[in-house]
């Protein structure tokens, strides 16, 4: 990289007298104004809003220099914790409720459509392509569970050929990528395609609630504020059909601990499902599981894409 020398850039005209000092009262306007020449109007709007709100927060709490350095140190360590498989900044956004807020703003409730919720950090590998009826529990969990559903339009019409991406933690609350020595890659994951009647189905185990990763700065923040790190038990879904807006969502296991205090603020009551106990030898044979088993049902209702 060539570093421009001072003499390479034309110096601005030297004012005869210094403009007024920048003070506590004028610094916010001065910084906002400094972006006035940004060619990208949206960038200018975003930076202006961030500066105004950050300055307002600083004025409200009046941090000491030590507190300011602690905050910078925290953000530095948050960045240093990130790598190809760990995104500590997303986790920070999650525990501050920002991910849920952005998700809610961008996917405002549409009558009849399935509510969206956060993607989370564990959709980091491609789900293996599977056939309807396949088992995504590759390690043999304790209680088999059948999950059935359809992908539908908001007027209830089934969508054949839609893709349904699924990923979940196991009965001990771990995703495959967290414990590669215990779970084979692809455990708890599958990419399904709906049949002629818009249906998908697979077998699995009922997932457990689990703690989000706490071995980094976000874990320290939770510990310092005596917040627990747990998410209620859930299965993740992304439903994707041409001509429709993709929906990223979960189903939550009714009765799970932490439904009322999700560490990432992502629970929606419309997404809580009973994982019904079934004692039905014929049903068990049909789905290829042992009896008794559990059964959860989710219809994923997608809305037409705009334009
Ligand atoms: C998840 O559900 O996989 C998740 C979401 C946010 C933070 C951590 C985990
Ligand atoms: Fe999850």
């Amino acid at each position: 990289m060539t570093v421009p020398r001072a003499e390479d850039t034309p110096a601005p005209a030297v004012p005869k007298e210094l403009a007024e000092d920048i003070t506590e009262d004028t610094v916010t306007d001065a910084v906002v104004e400094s972006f006035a020449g940004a060619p990208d109007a949206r960038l200018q709007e975003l930076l202006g809003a961030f500066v105004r709100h950050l300055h307002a927060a600083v004025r409200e709490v009046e941090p000491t220099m030590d507190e300011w350095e602690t905050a910078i140190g925290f953000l530095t360590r948050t960045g240093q914790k990130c790598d190809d498989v760990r995104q500590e900044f997303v986790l920070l956004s999650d525990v501050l409720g920002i991910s849920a807020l952005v998700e809610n703003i961008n996917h405002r409730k549409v009558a009849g459509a399935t509510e969206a919720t956060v993607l989370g950090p564990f959709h980091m590998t491609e789900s293996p392509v599977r056939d309807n009826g396949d088992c995504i529990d590759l390690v043999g969990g304790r209680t088999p569970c059948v999950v059935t559903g359809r992908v539908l339009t908001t007027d209830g019409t089934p969508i054949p050929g839609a893709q349904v991406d699924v990923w979940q933690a196991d009965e001990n609350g771990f995703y495959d990528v967290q414990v590669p020595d215990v779970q084979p890659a692809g455990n708890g994951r599958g990419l399904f395609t709906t049949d002629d009647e818009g249906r998908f189905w697979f077998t699995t185990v009922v997932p457990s609630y689990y703690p989000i990763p706490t071995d980094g700065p976000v874990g320290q923040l939770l510990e310092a504020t005596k917040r627990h790190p747990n998410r209620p038990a859930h299965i993740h879904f992304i439903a994707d059909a041409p001509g429709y807006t993709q929906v990223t969502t979960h189903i939550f296991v009714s009765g799970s601990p932490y439904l009322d205090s999700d560490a990432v603020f992502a629970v929606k009551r419309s997404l809580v499902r009973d994982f019904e106990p079934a004692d039905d030898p014929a049903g068990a044979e049909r789905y290829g599981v042992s009896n008794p088993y559990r059964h959860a049902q989710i219809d994923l209702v997608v809305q037409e894409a705009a334009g």
Side-chain angles (χ1 to χ4, degrees), residues 208-255:
S208 170
Y209 63 87
Y210 64 83
I212 64 169
T214 54
D215 59 340
V218 170
Q220 290 160 4
L221 182 150
L222 295 179
E223 174 57 32
T225 54
K226 296 297 166 218
R227 267 179 59 179
H228 75 72
N230 295 296
R231 299 216 61 211
H234 58 272
I235 302 178
H236 294 260
F237 293 88
I238 297 176
D240 196 16
Y244 294 86
T245 303
Q246 194 183 67
V247 66
T248 299
T249 193
H250 304 0
I251 54 174
F252 293 93
V253 181
S254 83

Side-chain angles (χ1 to χ4, degrees), residues 2-234:
T2 350
V3 181
R5 288 169 306 163
E7 60 264 36
D8 293 341
T9 16
V14 181
K16 290 219 167 43
E17 287 174 30
L18 268 183
E20 282 174 21
D21 286 351
I22 301 283
T23 67
E24 197 180 313
D25 294 331
T26 61
V27 64
T28 305
D29 287 345
V31 180
V32 171
E33 181 58 27
S34 75
F35 298 126
D40 181 335
R42 177 67 171 157
L43 178 64
Q44 185 185 342
E45 181 188 358
L46 291 171
L47 288 170
F50 279 126
V51 167
R52 276 194 303 276
H53 287 274
L54 288 171
H55 284 215
V58 170
R59 286 197 175 86
E60 182 181 324
V61 299
E62 299 198 340
T64 63
M65 294 311 285
D66 275 356
E67 287 168 342
W68 175 236
E69 276 166 29
T70 302
I72 296 287
F74 174 80
L75 291 174
T76 305
R77 283 183 285 113
T78 300
Q80 287 165 340
K81 190 74 187 169
C82 295
D83 58 29
D84 288 350
V85 290
R86 178 72 179 257
Q87 233 305 348
E88 196 74 358
F89 269 116
V90 173
L91 211 52
L92 181 59
S93 159
D94 293 337
V95 301
L96 296 181
I98 297 170
S99 306
L101 182 57
V102 173
E103 185 70 51
N104 288 342
I105 288 169
N106 281 276
H107 298 102
R108 291 203 170 101
K109 217 169 173 174
V110 169
T114 297
E115 286 196 273
T117 194
V118 299
L119 176 69
F122 294 118
H123 186 250
M124 69 225 301
T125 60
E126 258 176 49
S127 300
V129 174
R130 301 197 194 275
D131 293 325
N132 282 311
D134 279 357
C135 183
I136 65 171
D137 165 32
L138 310 179
V139 289
R142 293 180 293 275
T143 310
C145 174
V146 174
V147 177
T148 57
R150 291 174 300 170
V151 178
L152 303 172
T153 66
T154 46
D155 67 6
T157 309
I159 307 181
Q163 291 218 309
V164 179
D165 196 347
V166 177
W167 68 106
Q168 68 166 88
D170 70 1
E171 289 174 322
N172 300 313
F174 292 106
Y175 287 87
D176 57 350
V177 289
Q178 293 178 287
V179 284
D181 298 342
V182 181
Q183 295 183 35
N187 188 48
R189 297 179 194 266
L191 184 62
F192 296 90
T193 303
T194 56
D195 72 2
D196 289 348
E197 292 171 52
R199 296 175 303 192
F200 64 90
W201 65 101
F202 60 91
T203 66
T204 182
V205 287
V206 180
S208 170
Y209 63 87
Y210 64 83
I212 64 169
T214 54
D215 59 340
V218 170
Q220 290 160 4
L221 182 150
L222 295 179
E223 174 57 32
T225 54
K226 296 297 166 218
R227 267 179 59 179
H228 75 72
N230 295 296
R231 299 216 61 211
H234 58 272

